[in-house]
Amino acid sequence: GLSLRLNGTFAAADPLSRGGYDGDATERLTVSARTGLGQLEAGLTDGAGDALDVGGPKVDLDVSLDDPRTSFYRDPRNGRAVIGLFALRTQAGASSNYAKFVYTSPALFGAQLALSFTPSEGKQLPFLNAGPHVAGRQVEFWEAALRYETELGPLSLTGYGAVAESRGEHKLPGQEGTSDLSFGLRADYPLDEETSLSLGGSWRQSNAYTFDINQTWQPSTTRGQHASAMVTRGDWSAGVEFGNGVAKEVAIAGLPRLGLNGTQASLGYLLSPSLRVSGGWQHLSYGRNSGAFYNGARQLKMDTVFLHMNLRTSEQ
């Protein structure tokens, strides 16, 4: 059979909740066709790497250390989130939500494949917009991802790998196309009928400085890793997360070496299928080898105790 679908996600965000799409009002808008041979999408959506992403478990996706939607730290100079300096995102998401074509295969013997092509950094229909007028903008993103699931007795294992390549346009000396690589693994084990334990982690490497594809330089290497564990019992969940990343110095562009370390412990409760509450403690610290942060030092340490509520009008 054939099914057609129009899908959209729209958001209003304050400066601390701009997420990976930089506060876009239209985060996703796609037309998709699904058959027994897989699904084909066209429009504003994530690339192949995000489509099959696997990583460590998270009590609250929005405030996780990895790919956070919401931050708790405000830069007093501009009112924006401090993590805009360098946000930890370990999935291969080089093409963000730029207009693209995505194919996702059905699962076969536990394996699933996704492929995507993104013409440019434009956020209209594919091929209609070339994106921002900046040096080193990226075009012709090709992405591929493979996901595999298996069971070893009561233990469920899921692994993932993804790669992304693009070409740079109007490059300055030393700029190049983006190369992105990531891996992830997750294990789930039932402790009893109501309680389960989940462990996992993910790793990413890119030649885009701080994973910013418009800062892709030949000597640049940015790495990030994230690991977490979570126990779930009924509507309750408790977890811990650890993450760190390093963006190497790019002298030709005057960019310092940036380091990031984070730790988080959180507790969540599902009040209803559409309402989740979480709370906990988070620590983030940044370091650089030259220059200074807004506090006048080369190191910036931040801690918070948080309470976060997530209300959704529908779930799929």
Side-chain angles (χ1 to χ4, degrees):
L2 170 68
S3 65
L4 301 176
R5 182 180 182 186
L6 176 65
N7 183 41
T9 302
F10 307 94
D14 66 29
L16 294 184
S17 303
R18 298 177 66 87
Y21 303 131
D22 198 28
D24 289 349
T26 303
E27 294 187 341
R28 296 188 184 187
L29 185 60
T30 63
V31 176
S32 63
R34 178 176 294 179
T35 72
L37 299 177
Q39 176 176 282
L40 180 65
E41 287 183 284
L44 304 184
T45 188
D46 294 324
D50 289 290
L52 300 183
D53 176 40
V54 174
K58 302 170 182 177
V59 172
D60 190 330
L61 295 175
D62 283 356
V63 297
S64 169
L65 291 175
D66 186 33
D67 193 20
R69 169 81 197 200
T70 297
S71 174
F72 304 109
Y73 314 103
R74 188 187 304 274
D75 188 329
R77 298 171 301 180
N78 54 29
R80 296 185 178 181
V82 174
I83 63 171
L85 289 167
F86 182 9
L88 183 66
R89 295 190 171 94
T90 57
Q91 70 279 11
S95 66
S96 185
N97 63 339
Y98 306 138
K100 62 174 61 68
F101 302 96
V102 185
Y103 168 74
T104 307
S105 76
L108 182 63
F109 302 111
Q112 193 171 17
L113 174 69
L115 303 169
S116 66
F117 173 68
T118 309
S120 69
E121 294 184 40
K123 295 187 176 182
Q124 299 179 6
L125 292 176
F127 297 108
L128 291 187
N129 190 295
H133 298 285
V134 296
R137 71 180 179 188
Q138 302 295 304
V139 297
E140 299 175 6
F141 297 80
W142 291 95
E143 297 169 90
L146 180 65
R147 177 174 178 167
Y148 181 73
E149 299 181 39
T150 188
E151 293 185 0
L152 302 175
L155 178 66
S156 298
L157 289 174
T158 307
Y160 149 92
V163 61
E165 296 283 340
S166 66
R167 179 174 62 86
E169 280 192 332
H170 310 299
K171 296 177 290 185
L172 298 174
Q175 286 188 306
E176 60 183 359
T178 299
S179 296
D180 214 335
L181 180 68
S182 70
F183 299 98
L185 182 66
R186 174 166 173 160
D188 297 280
Y189 185 82
L191 300 176
D192 56 42
E193 293 184 355
E194 295 185 9
T195 310
S196 64
L197 172 65
S198 300
L199 303 169
S202 50
W203 175 89
R204 179 185 182 187
Q205 177 176 296
S206 175
N207 63 341
Y209 181 78
T210 67
F211 302 130
D212 179 357
I213 62 170
N214 293 132
Q215 294 288 348
T216 299
W217 301 89
Q218 290 177 2
S220 176
T221 301
T222 296
R223 295 187 180 95
Q225 42 269 327
H226 175 260
S228 61
M230 183 172 72
V231 175
T232 302
R233 182 176 179 84
D235 294 328
W236 289 93
S237 57
V240 291
E241 299 181 38
F242 305 93
N244 66 77
V246 175
K248 291 187 176 180
E249 179 182 11
V250 184
I252 191 174
L255 300 172
R257 180 186 183 276
L258 280 179
L260 162 65
N261 287 283
T263 306
Q264 180 168 308
S266 52
L267 179 69
Y269 182 69
L270 188 64
L271 293 169
S272 73
S274 59
L275 181 60
R276 175 182 292 274
V277 176
S278 69
W281 164 80
Q282 184 183 97
H283 168 79
L284 279 181
S285 65
Y286 286 91
R288 57 193 300 163
N289 67 340
S290 62
F293 296 106
Y294 64 81
N295 62 350
R298 291 188 179 180
Q299 191 170 49
L300 179 62
K301 295 183 178 181
M302 303 173 291
D303 291 88
T304 187
V305 175
F306 66 88
L307 179 66
H308 183 253
M309 181 175 69
N310 191 324
L311 174 64
R312 297 185 183 275
T313 57
S314 64
E315 289 196 350
Q316 302 174 6

